[in-house]
Amino acid sequence: MKKMRIKPLAWAIAALAASGQLIAAEEESAKELSEMTVRQSRPSAVVHNPSPQAEVTGEQARNMNVVNTEDVVKYMPSLQIRKRYIGDRNAIIAARTTGTVQSARSLVYADGLLLSNLLGNSYAYPARWNLVGSEEIDTVNVLYGPFSALLPGNSAGATILMTTRRPEDVEAHARVQFFSQPYKLYGTDMTAYGHQEQASGGFRVGGLSVSLMANHLDSRGQPMSFAAATKATSGAGSVAYSGHTVDQDPSGGQRVIVGATNIDHTIQDVGKIRLAYDFAPETRLAFTFGEWHNNSTNRAESYLKDANGQTAYSATGTSAILVNGQRYTVAASTFAPNRSETVNRLFGLTFDSRLSNDWRLESAFSLYQTPTDSLRTAASPTLSNGTVALSDGTGWNNADLRLIWKPDGGKVGHTVTAGLHHDAYTYDYKKYNAGNWLSEDSKTALTDRNYGRTQTQAIYLQDEWKFAPRFTLTAGVRQEQWQASKGEIYTSALGQNNFREREESGTSPKLSLAWQATPDWMLRGSFGKAFRFPTVTELYQTEKTSTTTRISDPNLKPEQVFAKDLTAEGALGRGTLRFSLFEEIVHDALYSFTDYALTTRNQNIDKLRVRGAEVAYVAPEVLRGLDLTASMTYARSRVLENHLYPASVGKWVIRVPDWRASLLAVYRFNDQWTGMLGYKYSGKQYNNPDNSDEWANTYGGNSTFSTFDTKISYRFAKGMTAGFGIDNLTNEKYYAFHPYPQRTFHGEIRIDY
């Protein structure tokens, strides 16, 4: 067995957390520590959730370098957001037992409305973060694990609950940001830059409150991929080329990098309105409408130069590249540009009411539509023909209704929650050849068609019972019925395939026992079983392009998650320390991963296990003027059974690192100046199921990284603040298959009224 090693900075984080003990003598008498101190306005998913939890507020986020909304949670314990550049639409969540390829193992809500895109389970299906402006956030709560019957099995990783501010008077907020990233890698030497303008505000007239948000983002990213020439297996002859780079791929093989691809320029516009009416102090009806537009252009850059110094976009036949006696070819489609356009709309309705002293009602209904979703791709940089792919009509709807009963106003120690849930997802994808790739009107033959629907109905019951002064037992069960229908896959190579309707069901028991061991310390053990049913694209999305292949499986089984958590939480110095031991065993684990050959496969893995420990420390005033949030997580993951790929048995689960650590320190020098230092560490991990990608610190690998961020803010007038920050201060080059940003400079001006 290998000896565990903790990085020096991780030791420093633990030591800094423990240093709060030195201040304990200055504290007043110990306070009673409950399982979770909450505001009355928070939903029961937070209040009655027996999971480990963490929180960040909008005020705390203002001290960080926040451009996109997902930046708000980047220092939360165990979380890693796969955000590759500013404006990335594929920012999915990794938690303590999940990696950055399992988007369907997490949930994101805003004001009770689901923002998670559960159409798929890969990098292509992130939460719709854009529909929340970072300026309008009040609090963000993170729940770890599937220990509540109120949430579906997608909560196995993490559940993020965002709450936006409710205006009590007239208020307005505006922020202008600029950012710049000098970027160098292989033959690319460029500056990725952009700007963002956001305004939010609201007012109240009697019982009616109105909240508004508008955002405009114009961002250019660094290359997301680098083109590698293909080894030739036949033919003869070569031509002298320059500009390419020879290095090792993550598995140690020789490769020839010939250019940069997927260099994105995105323009995004968001508008949102939220109307809420208070019929009584604890009875509110709220309507939300949000619309998000994205227009994106992806270009490519060839490094190849021919003998005359001219840029070359292909090397085929007798013009192949010769490297160490091996011939390599490059297809013209490698450097083909593309453009995408999407329009996303969210309609949401929530109604919460205290019906009586004993009963409370919470409900949420949402509809998410994509009336426009197109991707146009050229056949090559020099040809006008190409393809047009359309996903118009894809979307989902959700409905949740729950009743909360506290007999005799809670005096008997019970809080019973009963609920109903419904969701339905529709995937509609068509791809055509086109005479002119820039025009949808020029589309000709249909080459690919993927269509399907899934839906889930659930009923659940949970009782939080305080059966003794220091003991609370939470027991629940969730019963789900899942259905997949109208599955259809057409490809020009395979022809038409239609699939039968399927039904599956699952029963998920939950149990948690909390013991208030001392006035300052609480100990809680939790167990939960959960089902994560296949998404519609895992079942019915099969497609081959010039560069990628997606392979679905209409017979996928639902994964079954068995999770355990033992948590101790209590006061330490001027802060709160939480220590958790966790284990997750997954049968028929659903994985959608992309290998180095850019083939995405959806499959069941027979049995996985992740065991680990997490420590988190939060101290609003660990020293005078200094706020500290620190965490460290260790996870030992293993594939226990996999009959589809025996070589993976005994190996690490892909994209689950052994160590994670984070640190956020905010220091208030005086009433005008505030400084921030942030730190993120991620340890060893693999992208290949057989763990053959040992050379991970290169493009295509999943590297260890250690990054620092900093920001200084100056309040130069009432309600007016300027800030300057740097992300990745040491200019670390690191990868999650794709390259992450290098050193990035931020500047902003904020006005609050």
Side-chain angles (χ1 to χ4, degrees), residues 318-389:
T318 58
S319 68
I321 307 165
L322 186 65
V323 176
N324 298 328
Q326 171 68 53
R327 296 176 68 252
Y328 290 85
T329 61
V330 181
S333 59
T334 301
F335 300 106
N338 67 69
R339 295 184 182 179
S340 64
E341 179 182 0
T342 59
V343 176
N344 302 261
R345 290 182 184 142
L346 173 69
F347 300 86
L349 187 69
T350 60
F351 180 71
D352 303 326
S353 177
R354 179 167 293 283
L355 305 176
S356 68
N357 191 45
D358 296 350
W359 291 91
R360 178 173 179 80
L361 171 71
E362 294 182 357
S363 61
F365 309 89
S366 63
L367 172 65
Y368 194 95
Q369 299 176 329
T370 53
T372 301
D373 190 347
S374 67
L375 174 64
R376 304 187 299 276
T377 306
S380 77
T382 57
L383 296 176
S384 61
N385 65 305
T387 61
V388 173

Side-chain angles (χ1 to χ4, degrees), residues 136 167 173 199-203 210-214 271-275:
E136 61 176 345
H173 312 274
S200 65
F203 60 90
V210 180
S211 302
L212 301 165
M213 187 274 289
K272 189 174 75 170
I273 182 170
R274 179 173 168 84
L275 307 174

Side-chain angles (χ1 to χ4, degrees), residues 342-541:
T342 59
V343 176
N344 302 261
R345 290 182 184 142
L346 173 69
F347 300 86
L349 187 69
T350 60
F351 180 71
D352 303 326
S353 177
R354 179 167 293 283
L355 305 176
S356 68
N357 191 45
D358 296 350
W359 291 91
R360 178 173 179 80
L361 171 71
E362 294 182 357
S363 61
F365 309 89
S366 63
L367 172 65
Y368 194 95
Q369 299 176 329
T370 53
T372 301
D373 190 347
S374 67
L375 174 64
R376 304 187 299 276
T377 306
S380 77
T382 57
L383 296 176
S384 61
N385 65 305
T387 61
V388 173
L390 304 173
S391 297
D392 306 352
T394 295
W396 62 85
N397 61 77
N398 283 266
D400 284 280
L401 181 67
R402 66 174 63 109
L403 279 170
I404 304 164
W405 178 45
K406 289 188 175 183
D408 198 18
K411 294 179 182 178
V412 298
H414 286 274
T415 299
V416 181
T417 304
L420 299 171
H421 169 83
H422 166 83
D423 63 58
Y425 293 83
T426 299
Y427 181 67
D428 190 353
Y429 174 85
K430 299 176 288 291
K431 188 168 73 171
Y432 301 87
N433 287 328
N436 181 355
W437 71 277
L438 292 172
S439 173
E440 291 182 19
D441 296 332
S442 70
K443 62 181 183 289
T444 56
L446 178 70
T447 61
D448 294 273
R449 163 73 164 164
N450 297 163
Y451 185 87
R453 296 179 182 178
T454 60
Q455 63 177 8
T456 308
Q457 283 81 36
I459 184 170
Y460 55 86
L461 182 68
Q462 182 168 286
D463 183 14
E464 184 184 28
W465 178 28
K466 192 173 181 65
F467 63 90
R470 292 190 177 187
F471 289 90
T472 302
L473 179 69
T474 303
V477 64
R478 187 180 184 95
Q479 178 67 37
E480 295 168 296
Q481 185 75 27
W482 171 86
Q483 183 183 71
S485 61
K486 299 186 181 298
E488 177 184 340
I489 296 175
Y490 168 80
T491 69
S492 55
L494 301 176
Q496 181 71 29
N497 290 272
N498 295 305
F499 302 96
R500 62 178 177 84
E501 185 175 292
R502 288 183 55 197
E503 288 188 0
E504 301 279 353
S505 62
T507 303
S508 303
K510 320 282 184 177
L511 188 66
S512 177
L513 178 63
W515 173 40
Q516 194 74 45
T518 72
D520 289 337
W521 282 89
M522 180 271 298
L523 184 67
R524 180 183 58 235
S526 300
F527 166 82
K529 180 182 179 181
F531 284 82
R532 208 281 278 172
F533 295 97
T535 62
V536 63
T537 59
E538 287 176 304
L539 299 170
Y540 305 127
Q541 186 188 30

Side-chain angles (χ1 to χ4, degrees), residues 154-169:
N154 308 87
S155 62
T159 300
I160 296 176
L161 301 170
M162 295 186 284
T163 304
T164 60
R165 283 195 306 273
R166 299 176 177 179
E168 298 299 331
D169 202 346

Side-chain angles (χ1 to χ4, degrees), residues 2-13:
K2 293 184 179 179
K3 184 178 180 180
M4 295 188 305
R5 294 183 179 179
I6 304 179
K7 298 292 180 180
L9 192 53
W11 278 116
I13 292 174

Side-chain angles (χ1 to χ4, degrees), residues 582-594:
F582 57 86
E583 179 185 76
E584 181 180 278
I585 296 175
V586 187
H587 293 274
D588 295 318
L590 285 161
Y591 259 79
S592 173
F593 65 91
T594 302

